[in-house]
Amino acid sequence: MMQQQKILIIGFVWPEPNSSGAGTRMMQLIDLFQEHNWKITFASAAADSEFMFDVTTIGVEKVSIAINDATFDSFIQELNPSLVLFDRFVVEEQFGWRVAENCPNALRIMDTVDLHCLRLARQKASKEKTELKQEDLFSDTAKREIASILRCDISLLISEIEMDLLQTHFKIDKSILYYLPFLVETIRKSTVQNWPKFQERKNFVFIGNFLHEPNWNAVQFLKESIWPLIRKQLPKVSMLIYGAYPSQKVLQLHKPDELFFVLGRADNAEEVVKNARIVLAPLRFGAGAKGKLIEAMQCGTPSVTTSIGAESMNGNLPWNGIIADEIQSIVDAAIRLYQDQVLWLKVQENGIEIVNKRYSKTLFGNDFIQHILDVQKNMEKHRWNNFIGSILLHHTVASTKYMSRWIEAKNKNN
């Protein structure tokens, strides 16, 4: 019988599955651990938010923690987890050394969510209208993020492209990396039968968290360059923009007279996407896998997106829509797919195949759990093989520890 694990998840924020792909991803990991009857404590230094999911309703203990505070040391010593999951590299930076010092035998896993250094390098190249340069990739953010990956026993990647990038460009050993995509339910025939039909759907939709820079950039691109051209040919069709945390700049793009509607947070994202005919997501930079495009497939809604948007998502399978990168190509693809029912139905089938062959949790969940158990069983050898990580951890503990202690002492004196 499999031993029960005691897991501590340290969140960058409290999970908001209705606000972001990262929140959805976190809930999928919690669900997977709970399927194996593992006991979970979720801790975060973030403030509570209005839209966070209350993890206590599903039997997860919720604990508020503080950065640069020794109370975390006594908390984790008492909890004594067998596994600690860091939500993104900035969380590992803050708490990784404390975990290693107080619970050295706990397996340390980091969920990268996306490679921040890749996303920021692409963002820089996009704004400067240049090709992605190697020096942009080897940034200070990359140094921090790669150091976190090396300090952990396992780092989770949601994109095969990023798995390859870490191994080829940054020379990270595959043994400390693990590809774990979004984990979703298989799409069954009964689900498909309940989807709205082509004729019952209307309008284009974009949905995304506006705290995430690629989403804001994509909406600007839509408003300024793409929507005016689509509207000339489809004058009665609307562009619906949904997303959590829209700034005043985002809300100012709301132009009902142009049928361009900025509607803020969706009360029910699934219903919004299910009733749209097409998800239009012209992302010009980004990384990881796009939750909005998985959601589109789960709702039977074809998408028009860019190479960046679709990157690493469909493998060798045909896309759930059309991939285009130039303005006119995106416009032509959107108009064609909106009007061509035969093509629309064909690419809808592609989406079902992508979800069922590349994201079904039955394909990945048990293998990941087994990988955790295998690494735990051979922890000492696993860490010997990652000696560079041990060196980094040694020096990080020395430097970060004393900086943190200094901040802690300073806070007490104030």
Side-chain angles (χ1 to χ4, degrees), residues 28-195:
Q28 290 169 357
L29 291 173
I30 289 172
D31 180 57
L32 178 62
F33 294 146
Q34 287 193 316
E35 279 182 8
H36 290 82
N37 197 33
W38 292 2
K39 182 172 168 49
I40 303 170
T41 299
F42 195 105
S44 180
D48 285 6
S49 71
E50 183 184 351
F51 299 101
M52 70 182 191
F53 180 82
D54 182 1
V55 294
T56 63
T57 62
I58 57 170
V60 173
E61 184 186 10
K62 176 179 179 283
V63 177
S64 290
I65 53 176
I67 58 172
N68 303 313
D69 195 311
T71 56
F72 180 84
D73 299 347
S74 50
F75 156 69
I76 196 170
Q77 284 172 14
E78 187 177 339
L79 184 67
N80 193 26
S82 52
L83 186 161
V84 177
L85 175 71
F86 304 105
D87 172 25
R88 288 166 264 206
F89 83 90
V90 289
V91 171
E92 188 281 333
E93 283 184 327
Q94 290 166 341
F95 294 101
W97 68 271
R98 290 185 184 271
V99 171
E101 194 172 72
N102 291 287
C103 294
N105 296 322
L107 185 73
R108 298 186 300 275
I109 300 180
M110 178 171 67
D111 189 23
T112 58
V113 180
D114 66 8
L115 271 187
H116 294 49
C117 62
L118 176 60
R119 170 161 44 86
L120 293 173
R122 284 175 170 168
Q123 181 174 331
K124 184 173 184 284
S126 175
K127 296 208 168 168
E128 293 174 356
K129 295 181 168 53
T130 60
E131 292 294 312
L132 181 66
K133 300 189 289 289
Q134 185 148 306
E135 55 263 39
D136 293 337
L137 200 56
F138 292 172
S139 61
D140 286 347
T141 298
K143 290 167 190 170
R144 292 171 55 199
E145 191 165 26
I146 299 305
S148 279
I149 288 170
L150 285 165
R151 286 191 297 263
C152 289
D153 298 309
I154 303 170
S155 287
L156 306 180
L157 282 299
I158 206 165
S159 156
E160 292 154 318
I161 293 284
E162 293 175 12
M163 281 283 290
D164 182 63
L165 181 78
L166 288 173
Q167 292 171 76
T168 54
H169 284 261
F170 293 104
K171 310 303 179 191
I172 306 291
D173 194 277
K174 190 179 178 182
S175 66
I176 62 168
L177 305 176
Y178 195 88
Y179 171 64
L180 191 71
F182 282 110
L183 305 171
V184 303
E185 297 296 334
T186 301
I187 298 174
R188 307 193 184 281
K189 282 185 180 176
S190 56
T191 303
V192 175
Q193 287 164 357
N194 289 323
W195 285 342

